[in-house]
Amino acid sequence: MQLPREIVIGNHTLDAIPEICLKLGFRDLAFIVTGPNTYEIAAKSVIDSLEDAGFKTDYTIVKNSTIESVNETISKIMSFKPSIILGIGGGKDIDVAKSSSANLNIPFISVPTTASHDGISSPFASIKGLEKPYSIKAQAPIAIIADLEIISNSPYRFIASGCGDIIAKYTAVRDWKLAHMIKNEYYGDYAANLALMSAKLILKNAQLISRRSEEGVRTIVEALISCGVAMSIAGSTRPCSGSEHLFTHALDLTTPNHALHGEKCGVGTIMCAYLHNANWKLIRKVLRKVQAPTTAKELGVEAEDIVKALSIAHRIRPERYTILGESGITYEAAERLAKATYVI
Ligand code: ZN
């Protein structure tokens, strides 16, 4: 199990980064992976404070999380030879930092500026351009430093997307349990409950979140971190990714560049909860309350894109048994499901 050693959540937490690096035993060269906007919002000041504290720094600005970005970052890191790598930014920046640092066996610190998905804390990275359209093993962050003020000021859509990725655990855990019963797959109660608890927290605090209160944002950040820890404990993405994520990845393939990861997961959860005979109406209600998409239209895709993605989802990752079964659901059944849950 690889778990973070330091988790700091609060306001102005970026100021604490040099101190945390020193506490963890890093004191010379620090490399920062960031994005064009997040450089201005957060990375620039972190670089200054690290330099003030005696660190030598270098940084790269990445625009996407493709394998090319990862390889470019790896060669920059190799020539700088840092002892610590910081991923400062949104999901993409953190994925590139996580993946490149794992490749070089250098610890990395996750500094999220948005709370849009659980990649901010998980040991898995989602890299585009690889054979597999889902997250692959990288490494868990040695520390997570989340500044609530910065995250609160990010577009609300990211926060709503984070809710969708957390609510997804409602069906992911059911799928995991099912795979345990049908396929005798390893099932860990502790990891499963940790993921489920995060989903329950969102159900309970939807009102606070929709008001964008500090407490609401804190709930999301903590829940996302718990999800990452659940994956670290399980040693796989199982507690956090089931049929609803297969649907999301299928939609990524058939209709790329539409909607955020967590937005698609939320819609997938409504439909997969229906298949599980679980309370899909509650999931839909909560997603609507936090103003996350619940329909094809709100995701910006066509009705047939949803039906197609549903009917091919089981092929995305054949070894991951879910409620979709080994042969999936037919096009007609998928259409009926999407209609019954008001997605189309
Ligand atoms: Zn996810």
Side-chain angles (χ1 to χ4, degrees):
M1 271 180 218
Q2 245 189 5
L3 295 166
R5 271 176 54 192
E6 297 279 338
I7 298 177
V8 184
I9 305 169
N11 288 322
H12 310 294
T13 51
L14 298 192
D15 302 342
I17 290 178
E19 194 191 317
I20 291 162
C21 287
L22 291 168
K23 198 173 157 191
L24 291 168
F26 307 112
R27 49 192 76 248
D28 41 17
L29 303 177
F31 189 88
I32 288 97
V33 180
T34 187
N37 292 330
T38 48
Y39 172 76
E40 296 294 337
I41 294 166
K44 208 170 161 182
S45 71
V46 173
I47 291 170
D48 286 346
S49 60
L50 281 167
E51 293 270 348
D52 287 347
F55 285 85
K56 281 203 173 63
T57 63
D58 194 6
Y59 68 94
T60 186
I61 292 181
V62 294
K63 294 199 174 90
N64 52 48
S65 55
T66 58
I67 185 67
E68 289 78 23
S69 286
V70 173
N71 289 335
E72 242 171 70
T73 304
I74 288 176
S75 56
K76 282 181 189 163
I77 295 171
M78 278 168 76
S79 56
F80 187 63
K81 296 190 176 57
S83 56
I84 183 71
I85 292 165
L86 292 97
I88 306 178
K92 290 185 187 112
D93 313 321
I94 288 172
D95 274 336
V96 173
K98 196 193 289 178
S99 186
S100 50
S101 62
N103 199 286
L104 296 168
N105 223 347
I106 301 171
F108 108 98
I109 296 178
S110 172
V111 187
T113 55
T114 59
S116 59
H117 63 75
D118 58 25
I120 62 172
S121 58
S122 79
F124 297 88
S126 168
I127 302 299
K128 291 200 174 76
L130 294 174
E131 231 172 80
K132 295 167 180 171
Y134 46 86
S135 299
I136 45 154
K137 188 91 192 260
Q139 67 171 339
I142 191 162
I144 303 164
I145 298 154
D147 191 314
L148 291 179
E149 200 179 300
I150 290 176
I151 293 171
S152 302
N153 286 327
S154 69
Y156 179 76
R157 190 180 167 194
F158 289 118
I159 292 170
S161 169
C163 288
D165 201 25
I166 299 164
I167 280 177
K169 303 351 174 192
Y170 187 80
T171 43
V173 168
R174 281 172 167 78
D175 283 319
W176 193 15
K177 228 174 213 170
L178 193 67
H180 174 63
M181 288 192 289
I182 308 274
K183 296 280 175 189
N184 200 28
E185 201 182 296
Y186 161 77
Y187 173 81
D189 232 350
Y190 186 84
N193 277 304
L194 196 55
L196 214 50
M197 190 178 71
S198 294
K200 282 180 187 157
L201 272 173
I202 300 301
L203 299 185
K204 199 175 127 197
N205 292 305
Q207 197 79 46
L208 276 179
I209 294 162
S210 68
R211 273 195 267 123
R212 306 183 192 200
S213 70
E214 191 187 313
E215 221 182 320
V217 176
R218 178 183 281 274
T219 302
I220 295 179
V221 172
E222 288 178 354
L224 286 172
I225 292 174
S226 294
C227 291
V229 170
M231 287 186 258
S232 286
I233 292 171
S236 82
T237 56
R238 256 301 188 188
C240 296
S241 167
S243 47
E244 75 300 318
H245 269 71
L246 294 180
F247 161 77
T248 298
H249 300 317
L251 200 55
D252 288 340
L253 287 182
T254 59
T255 326
N257 307 320
H258 281 82
L260 298 171
H261 171 79
E263 294 177 327
K264 288 178 266 199
C265 288
V267 173
T269 308
I270 299 174
M271 297 188 287
C272 296
Y274 182 95
L275 290 177
H276 273 288
N277 207 13
N279 195 349
W280 64 273
K281 285 181 182 159
L282 174 68
I283 302 294
R284 184 171 183 272
K285 195 174 133 195
V286 170
L287 286 171
R288 290 185 74 83
K289 201 178 248 178
V290 299
Q291 297 142 54
T294 58
T295 64
K297 203 174 163 202
E298 285 165 0
L299 284 178
V301 303
E302 300 295 326
E304 60 187 69
D305 298 329
I306 297 281
V307 179
K308 173 102 194 289
L310 269 176
S311 61
I312 63 160
H314 66 288
R315 282 192 239 142
I316 297 288
R317 196 171 185 175
E319 81 287 2
R320 177 145 294 187
Y321 190 82
T322 70
I323 193 74
L324 299 169
E326 271 150 358
S327 48
I329 57 173
T330 66
Y331 193 89
E332 292 71 26
E335 194 172 21
R336 200 173 59 225
L337 165 62
K339 279 184 179 161
T341 48
Y342 312 118
V343 172
I344 63 172

